[in-house]
Structures are given as structure tokens and as C-alpha cells.
Amino acid sequence: MTVIGQVTLDLVHAVKAAHSTAEIAAILIRAGGIFGYEHFAIAGLPRSTGETLPDLLLMHWPAEWAARYVAQGYIRHDPVAAHVRRTTTPFLWSEVAIEHGAVLARRIMDEARAFGLGDGFCVPIHDVDGTESVASFGAPRMDLSEEARAGLHLLGIYAHLAARRLGPAEPARATRAGGSMPCRTRNVTRSARDIAGGTGRETSYEIRSVASGDPVGSLTQCGFRLRSDAA
């Protein structure tokens, strides 16, 4: 077995053994150093054209971009999301053709690039009940071999399955993110061993919902943040 193949199987095994969505997110953060992505999101796509909020399962996305994406209703015009609905084959964002007159679609991709999301890799997931989901991995630039694409495809599928199975691990509690603009937040926090680096440090994970003056309403977006409590 090749190195990337063995690494992928090890990551999949870890995801399957995870006891919370926080553990899954930490594994995906670690995997980013292997596959070359910096951000990720696993979400279900809206079922109707009137919906603007994706059904978020895991998120490690630039917070400002996530808030803008939802506030502007970009899910309705995102060419990547549209392509997810049309295919079962994983693809790079840069492989999606944008129609000549699709000004808003092109603006979305240009704005994403300004937030460090110049390219990405999507794993479309079409469930038997008709729901459509995606595991999306982004970075300023993505350079994946065919073997790495296959590995990330497999990891995305298992991460989605595990995240749906586990759901929110703990009840929400209100808080404010230190050093940021005031906003309503919902935190799901747990302490666990630092599985991202195997250092034995205690690490806290937060899944937080950002709703800072958003016209959409209360819960607008979830962001995953990894922070070390060790000195």
C-alpha cells in the first residue's frame, strides 16, 4: 500500500472511532497538513431555493467570509454549490465552469479568494433520502495528485457520516468570543487530548454560531475553532 493510502486509512479509522464532532474536526485539521488544505466545511445543501442557510455539521472556515456568505445569501448563486447538485464526482473549485454572464457567481469566487479560499476540493454526497450534502476543503491553492484526490474523497465521505451520526456533542451555552466584535454565540466546548499533534496537551474545541447584526436572523453560521489551553 502507498504512503498516502495508509495515511488515509489511518485517518478514516480515527474518524470512525471519534466520540464527538470536536474530535472529527481535530482529525480533519491534522489531515489538512497532509492534503494541503487549510479550511473545511461539511454541510447539507438547502432543500429549497428560498433557504439561505446550509445545514452545517462541521465548520473550520474564515469567520468573516462565513458570515458574509450567509448574510448575502450566496448559497443561491454559488457555482460550486450548484455543481455539487449536478455531480457525484469530486472536483476542484477551479474545474467548475462559470457562465459568461454570471456576474454574481464570479464575484463570489473572487471574494472567497480574498479570504484565503483561492481553490478547493469538493466531495458531493447524495443520500438515499434525496438530501444533498458536501464536504469542502479549501486553501489559497490546491495541488492534489490523483491518489490524494481519492484519499480526500474517502475521508470526506467518512467524516460526513460520522458527523451526522454524532451531531452536537453537548448543550449550547451563551458566551462572547474574546477580542472580537460583540455577537451572539452558541458554543459547544469540550476538553480532549491533543489528537491533532499527539502531544498530551489539553485542547479546547468550540463550535460557535456567529450572528452579528445579520439580517438573516439569529443563527447564521457555525465556525470551528481550535485553541490550545497549554502554556
Side-chain angles (χ1 to χ4, degrees):
M1 183 180 294
T2 61
V3 173
I4 193 67
Q6 185 59 59
V7 168
T8 299
L9 290 181
D10 290 344
L11 290 167
V12 166
H13 177 75
V15 164
K16 291 173 66 177
H19 293 95
S20 72
T21 53
E23 290 185 19
I24 298 170
I27 294 165
L28 294 181
I29 289 172
R30 183 179 66 183
I34 299 168
F35 290 100
Y37 63 82
E38 298 179 7
H39 306 283
F40 61 83
I42 299 179
L45 298 182
R47 295 196 179 202
S48 68
T49 55
E51 296 180 29
T52 59
L53 297 177
D55 180 19
L56 291 164
L57 297 174
L58 285 176
M59 179 71 103
H60 182 63
W61 225 236
E64 291 183 18
W65 169 241
R68 176 170 178 77
Y69 187 93
V70 173
Q72 298 295 322
Y74 280 169
I75 189 70
R76 297 194 299 264
H77 308 281
D78 187 342
V80 172
H83 195 67
V84 167
R85 297 186 186 276
R86 296 193 296 263
T87 185
T88 58
T89 303
F91 60 91
L92 289 170
W93 301 350
S94 54
E95 295 171 345
V96 177
I98 301 177
E99 296 181 4
H100 178 70
V103 177
L104 186 51
R106 196 167 299 280
R107 181 197 304 168
I108 291 170
M109 302 306 291
D110 289 342
E111 288 185 9
R113 188 174 294 107
F115 287 93
L117 297 169
D119 202 357
F121 184 72
C122 272
V123 178
I125 300 166
H126 300 268
D127 291 335
V128 293
D129 62 359
T131 59
E132 298 166 314
S133 304
V134 62
S136 191
F137 306 89
R141 181 175 177 272
M142 294 288 286
D143 185 14
L144 296 171
S145 66
E146 288 301 315
E147 189 177 28
R149 288 173 73 128
L152 197 50
H153 181 190
L154 187 64
L155 182 60
I157 290 173
Y158 274 95
H160 171 261
L161 286 173
R164 285 193 61 175
R165 171 176 56 85
L166 292 169
E170 298 177 18
R173 64 179 177 83
T175 189
R176 285 178 61 177
S180 64
M181 289 181 62
C183 64
R184 291 191 303 278
T185 63
R186 185 182 68 182
N187 287 351
V188 180
T189 307
R190 85 185 290 264
S191 291
R193 285 294 177 186
D194 185 6
I195 61 177
T199 62
R201 296 175 300 161
E202 290 297 314
T203 305
S204 293
Y205 306 94
E206 292 183 353
I207 298 175
R208 60 189 182 120
S209 305
V210 180
S212 178
D214 193 332
V216 173
S218 56
L219 176 62
T220 60
Q221 192 68 300
C222 293
F224 183 88
R225 183 173 63 189
L226 169 67
R227 75 169 187 273
S228 172
D229 292 331

